[in-house]
Amino acid sequence: MKVLGIESSHDDTSIALVENNQVVHFFKISQTDIHQQYGGTIPELAARHHFHNYYYLLEKLKEVTNLHQIDYIAYTKEPGLIGSLQMGHLFSHALAKALKKPLIDVNHIHGHIFSSILDTNHQIKYPALALIVSGGHTNLYLLKSSQEKILIGQTLDDALGEVYDKVARVLFNVFPGGKYIDDIFSSYKEQKIEVKLSDPKLLNLFDFSFSGYKTQIINLYHYKKVDAIQLALAFQKQVVDFIIAKMKLAINQYQPQSIILAGGVSANSYLRSEFLKLHSHTLIPLMKYTTDNGAMIAIAAIEEKLK
Ligand code: KG4
Ligand code: ZN
């Protein structure tokens, strides 16, 4: 069964053809270079670029496959930037109509969950715990099956990726900042971390909060003139340790058969390596599938609705 996945909920335009767990064709245009100059995504610009990108990507797909051999078309319905979602909606509906193929709508966050098995021979064993960390979300789910997902924790303020981006902008004037801070963390592995930030105290054990780290970093940088590298190291070490401690509690309580880490921030080297130590059946997407892409939308449609 061949499923075409279509994704444009934020600033990446992507289409991909997936058969079973395997990605047969993968196309993606990132708009990072365009939005970089503004220090963040401009929604109106993103939507306009998706419009042109879809046309271009469809031409590319036609060069390598016969569109009539596609069995289903899956697209991101929500959540995301409204103009970007609208472009995906229009493109996928038009394509489905032209090709006379059934259309499946997919939740973007669920797409991230199932990205963890793309191009692998692994299956999710249920019950599972899935932590989704991206620029827009930080959600912890208990998955009882591929369809039954219970949100057991979430961020009460900023998403993890958003805080990475804000901290990096303050300290180093870069965007997006997650990878930048992660690279610093890897380069200064041997350096002693002198800064200690305080962790948030939360009523629900499985909720998250990151804006307090951001405020502490900003204050230490602007008013105490603490070194930017030291602050970046302390930030990454503490947010990851905070997340891992929560995962340990959740694993203890829910006794999952597998655990999943996904979303843009799952590209983080320290988070990946600490997460892998938590469970014997840990699923983390290959690097190319950590950020938004069409393949994750196709695999989510397969796992949730076509099995
Ligand atoms: O999932 P994603 O592509 O887009 C959303 O749906 O939000 O995630 C993008 C986020 C950005 O905030 C980016 O800074 C972060 O993922 N990110 C990272 C790393 N690579 C990307 N954060 C920490 N460490 C990384 N290596
Ligand atoms: Zn995403």
Side-chain angles (χ1 to χ4, degrees), residues 108 112 134 292 296:
H108 177 83
H112 277 302
S134 73
D292 297 346
M296 72 186 206

Side-chain angles (χ1 to χ4, degrees), residues 101-121:
K101 301 291 174 184
L103 196 58
I104 300 174
D105 57 68
V106 171
N107 176 294
H108 177 83
I109 304 172
H110 299 176
H112 277 302
I113 294 176
F114 296 104
S115 70
S116 59
I117 55 168
L118 281 170
D119 281 351
T120 74
N121 295 320

Side-chain angles (χ1 to χ4, degrees), residues 7 9-12 28 108 112 132-137 159-165 175-183 236 262-269 271 287 290-293 296:
E7 155 66 32
S9 62
H10 192 220
D11 60 352
D12 294 309
K28 171 165 161 165
H108 177 83
H112 277 302
I132 308 307
V133 279
S134 73
H137 304 275
L160 181 57
E162 191 181 353
V163 175
Y164 258 101
D165 292 339
F175 173 83
K179 186 171 183 320
Y180 196 87
I181 291 185
D182 192 18
D183 288 346
Q236 173 143 319
V265 188
S266 71
N268 188 271
S269 59
L271 181 56
M287 283 304 248
T290 57
T291 46
D292 297 346
N293 65 82
M296 72 186 206

